[in-house]
């Protein structure tokens, strides 16, 4: 029952931390839904489907369901003690007790009742109607115990344990005790608690016992007489060396749970960090991972690549996969004396890599330790664990960049580049230049390269000199300082929008009864903003731009503005688009400046009009401004202007853009149709955003006059304009809520209305904006 193939040493697995974080976040999200005490149609249908199962299942289901009761905790602890698993017994007691207690606490916080108060016409089997529903304590306890037990069990008992958990989940709905959301909450809570216990105490490391590996090899037909652990750098596996009767050595690679989890986390990290990771999908099981490596190794062998011959592959009962290869008498480059690294050897290494790439195979890990040199000074490529067949140019360019850096750490950047240039054509060599940066290389190669940044720069320049091409070194990461600002703004928005739980409940209550007709109208108004912005751009350029394409540019710019502060991304996209349409760079910049200036002017004038109308049409007391205050402000502004203009540098900075914008404005005014388009588009963007807010407030049952709503929006967007976050995230929401509350809108309705407004104007355009951006890139419009 308990695993016998692995070492008993306990290890803290990073994947457990990942599970704790993800399950905790999902549980909190489920708890927010549970607080609404709302049961959707899908949840009702799932519950009734299971609740209507035949009555003859009641007794067996009730019996299995007790595996999640509080009484199951001492029972399972006693079983562990009987098996002399004392540490495991302690973990089960702590995990089960914590899951039970946290489930009780979760019920009090969510206050979601049982199905008897939320639904009609359902079956109750036993005394299951009283109390609170979210999360299910039975499911939480069963899941926590199963999560703690799983690393200690063989494959079939582990499946039985999780089968019991799923029966408990279904049983709680079958007897009428819980709704699907309650069961989901129990699953997430139990998984979080169990993973936290495994993380705190450690769980079996997954490293196979040599005796188990030896028996598996023998059962698979390999006549191994002994086996020993191999101390070498084998990333992504546990290596062994097996002895055959004729004293021949065999390299054995084992891949288990740890390596599978590490592969998943590594690829997830690369996916979120890099713009174009281009990795294989994460392997579901260690067996699939080994099968993939064996397949690519065989392809490399068939292509004539020097790589150890594959002998066999098999699997241990616990799911650990094994692969055996012949063991060559060779030394890896990392341990080879420097004097033996001749130019001929370097050339042969590049020839092997070039042969591999000719078969469209990328190695994926060309570190110095994965290149062996035998007694005849011939290079061998080993470890295809990160390899990919049918690889594209990007993957092969990464191989070349990694090998360039690995060799440069041993023989210097000049010799490394020169050896590559003797084998590769200039195009293939130049393709590695954008990837010769620290973030694109393995940690081992980067650490081995002393003065990495300077050496990488030297290699890029050397390749440029040889190839005659100078590829652009682009940013490879998705996350940069602007994205961090975006995240900070999101946190600020949450902090400012949701400071009190009562407001959250009011907001959710308001959004729970939104009028779909008003929502649809708000969505249409929000979508119309982009054609209006396109009209303004056409007017600002005083040229015939394609209207649909210009609208797509504005949509794509909205996506870029979400990941850059101050609208930098959208401005850059507009400038590139205008240059592609034939405008000179100064004219393109001037047109964008004119469009922004006109937008600011219309915004300011509309704000003045709205405030004036609010002051005359309502009892809202606005501060009065006297002639003395006006004179003081005028003196301060004029003094600052004079001080700035007295400096030639600031005079150039301030007057040059004004002069360019003025000339552009004169060119537009000379053609009335363009002037009308610029004015109509700029005014349309402002008025349509006001319309979205008006309609969003109507949708949550908090109508406010157009004039007051306009004043709230224009004032809020002015505040957001000075915020450092993209789209004024955080500041915009706080300012709008405060303004609406000042006009008499209830706090909860104000929060709900603003959330809907920002959903339509900030969040929803992100996905279509991204799609438009990629489409325009493919069409080479930008």
């Amino acid at each position: 029952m308990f695993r016998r193939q692995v070492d008993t040493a306990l290890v803290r697995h990073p994947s457990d931390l990942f599970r704790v974080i993800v399950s905790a976040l999902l549980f909190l999200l489920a708890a927010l839904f549970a607080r609404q005490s709302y049961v959707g149609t899908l949840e009702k249908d799932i519950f009734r489907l299971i609740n209507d199962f035949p009555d003859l299942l009641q007794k067996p289901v009730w019996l299995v369901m007790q595996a999640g009761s509080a009484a199951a905790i001492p029972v399972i602890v006693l079983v562990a003690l009987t098996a002399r698993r004392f540490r495991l017994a302690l973990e089960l007691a702590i995990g089960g007790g914590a899951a039970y207690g946290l489930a009780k606490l979760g019920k009090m916080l969510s206050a979601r009742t049982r199905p008897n108060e939320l639904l009609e016409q359902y079956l109750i089997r036993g005394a299951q109607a009283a109390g609170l529903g979210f999360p299910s304590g039975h499911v939480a306890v069963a899941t926590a115990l199963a999560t703690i037990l799983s690393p200690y069990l063989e494959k079939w008992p582990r499946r039985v344990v999780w089968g019991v958990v799923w029966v408990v989940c279904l049983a709680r709905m079958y007897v009428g005790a819980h709704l699907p959301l309650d069961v989901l909450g129990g699953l997430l809570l139990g998984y979080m608690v169990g993973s936290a216990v495994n993380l705190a105490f450690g769980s079996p490391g997954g490293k196979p016992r040599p005796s188990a590996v030896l028996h598996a090899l023998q059962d698979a037909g390999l006549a191994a007489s002994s086996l020993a652990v191999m101390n070498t750098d084998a990333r992504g596996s546990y290596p062994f060396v097996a002895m055959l009767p004729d004293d021949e050595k065999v390299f054995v690679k084992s891949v288990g749970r740890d390596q599978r989890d590490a592969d998943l986390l590594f690829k997830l990290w690369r996916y979120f960090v890099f713009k174009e990771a281009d990795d294989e999908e994460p392997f579901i099981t260690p067996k699939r991972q080994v099968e993939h490596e064996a397949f690519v190794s065989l392809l490399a062998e068939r292509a004539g690549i020097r790589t150890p011959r594959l002998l066999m592959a098999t699997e241990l009962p616990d799911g650990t996969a094994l692969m055996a290869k012949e063991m060559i008498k060779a030394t890896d480059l990392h341990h080879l004396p420097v004097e033996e690294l001749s130019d001929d050897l370097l050339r042969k290494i590049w020839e092997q890599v070039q042969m591999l790439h000719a078969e469209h195979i990328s190695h994926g890990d060309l570190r110095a330790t994965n290149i062996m040199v035998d007694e005849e000074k011939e290079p061998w490529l080993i470890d295809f664990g990160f390899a990919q067949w049918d690889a594209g140019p990007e993957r092969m360019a990464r191989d070349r960049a990694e090998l360039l850096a690995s060799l440069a750490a041993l023989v210097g950047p000049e010799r490394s580049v020169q050896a590559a240039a003797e084998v590769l054509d200039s195009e293939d060599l130049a393709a590695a230049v954008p990837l010769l940066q620290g973030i694109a290389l393995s940690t081992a190669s980067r650490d081995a390269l002393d003065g990495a940044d300077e050496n990488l720069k030297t290699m890029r320049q050397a390749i440029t000199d040889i190839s005659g091409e100078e590829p652009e070194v682009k940013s490879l990461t998705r996350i940069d300082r602007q994205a961090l600002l975006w995240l900070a703004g999101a946190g600020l928005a949450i902090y400012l929008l949701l400071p009190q739980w009562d407001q959250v409940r009011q907001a959710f209550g308001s959004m729970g009864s939104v009028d779909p007709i008003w929502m649809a109208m708000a969505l249409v108004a929000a979508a119309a903003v982009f054609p209006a912005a396109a009209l303004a751009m056409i007017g600002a350029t005083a040229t015939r731009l394609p209207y649909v394409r210009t609208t797509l540019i504005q949509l794509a710019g909205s996506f870029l503005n979400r990941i850059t502060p101050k609208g930098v991304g959208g401005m850059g996209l507009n400038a590139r688009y205008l240059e592609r349409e034939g405008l000179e760079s100064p004219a393109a910049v001037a047109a964008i400046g004119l469009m922004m200036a006109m937008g600011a002017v219309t915004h300011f004038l509309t704000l003045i009009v709205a405030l004036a109308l609010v002051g005359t049409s309502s009892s809202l007391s606005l501060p009065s401004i006297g002639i003395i205050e006006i004179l003081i402000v005028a003196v301060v502004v004029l003094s600052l202007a004079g001080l700035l203009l007295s400096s030639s540098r600031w005079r150039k900075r301030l007057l040059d853009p004004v002069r360019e914008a003025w000339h552009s404005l004169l060119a537009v005014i000379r053609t009335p149709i363009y002037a009308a388009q610029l004015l109509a588009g700029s005014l349309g963007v402002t008025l349509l955003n006001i319309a979205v807010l008006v309609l969003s407030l109507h949708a949550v049952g908090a109508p406010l006059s157009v004039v007051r709503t306009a004043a709230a929006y224009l004032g809020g967007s002015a505040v957001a304009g000075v915020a450092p976050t993209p789209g004024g995230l955080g500041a915009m929401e706080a300012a709008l809520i405060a303004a609406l509350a000042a006009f008499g809108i209830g706090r909860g309705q104000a929060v709900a209305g603003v959330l809907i407004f920002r959903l339509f104007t900030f969040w929803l355009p992100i996905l279509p904006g991204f799609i438009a951006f990629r489409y325009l890139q493919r069409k080479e419009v930008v």
Side-chain angles (χ1 to χ4, degrees), residues 148-312:
I148 296 169
L149 270 173
S150 290
Y152 294 87
L153 300 178
E154 298 282 3
K155 184 183 294 185
W156 71 265
R158 189 162 62 245
R159 290 176 176 173
V160 170
V161 166
W162 280 106
V164 169
V165 171
W166 291 114
V167 172
V168 172
C169 293
L170 297 174
R172 297 306 288 169
M173 291 182 281
Y174 172 74
V175 300
H178 290 294
L179 292 164
L181 184 60
D182 307 334
V183 171
L184 176 62
L187 268 172
L188 293 170
L189 178 61
Y191 197 58
M192 178 189 71
V193 171
S195 299
V197 170
N198 287 339
L199 182 65
F201 289 88
S203 56
K207 185 176 181 178
R209 291 180 181 275
S211 58
V213 174
L214 180 61
H215 291 150
L217 295 175
Q218 292 172 344
D219 292 342
L222 190 68
S225 57
S226 63
L227 189 80
V229 177
M230 188 176 182
N231 295 319
T232 187
D233 179 14
R235 187 170 65 166
S237 67
Y238 290 121
F240 299 91
V241 56
M243 294 294 297
L244 299 182
D246 56 358
D247 292 334
E248 183 182 352
K249 293 182 179 180
V250 173
F251 174 78
V252 179
K253 180 177 185 177
S254 71
V255 178
R257 167 199 167 195
D258 276 0
Q259 288 73 45
R260 179 204 60 194
D261 292 343
D263 176 74
L264 172 62
L265 293 177
F266 175 72
K267 288 177 179 176
L268 282 175
W269 175 81
R270 283 179 53 82
Y271 176 78
F272 286 112
V273 170
F274 293 103
K275 294 177 182 177
E276 297 179 3
D278 194 27
D279 290 327
E280 289 279 358
E281 296 292 330
F283 299 104
I284 299 175
T285 64
K287 181 181 179 181
R288 294 289 180 266
Q289 188 169 343
V290 165
E291 286 176 343
H292 171 80
E293 181 175 354
F295 171 67
V296 180
S297 296
L298 289 173
L299 290 179
E301 282 186 52
R302 188 181 66 179
I305 309 300
R306 291 192 196 91
T307 187
R309 185 167 54 91
L310 178 68
L311 300 178
M312 51 81 67

Side-chain angles (χ1 to χ4, degrees), residues 611-650:
L611 289 176
L613 292 175
V614 168
T616 58
S617 63
S618 72
S619 60
L620 184 69
S621 59
L622 295 174
S624 60
I625 302 175
I627 187 65
I628 300 298
E629 289 86 348
I630 294 175
L631 288 175
I632 291 173
V633 172
V635 169
V636 172
V637 170
L638 290 174
S639 299
L640 288 174
L643 181 64
L644 291 174
L645 293 175
S646 65
S647 168
S648 59
R649 185 182 66 175
W650 281 103

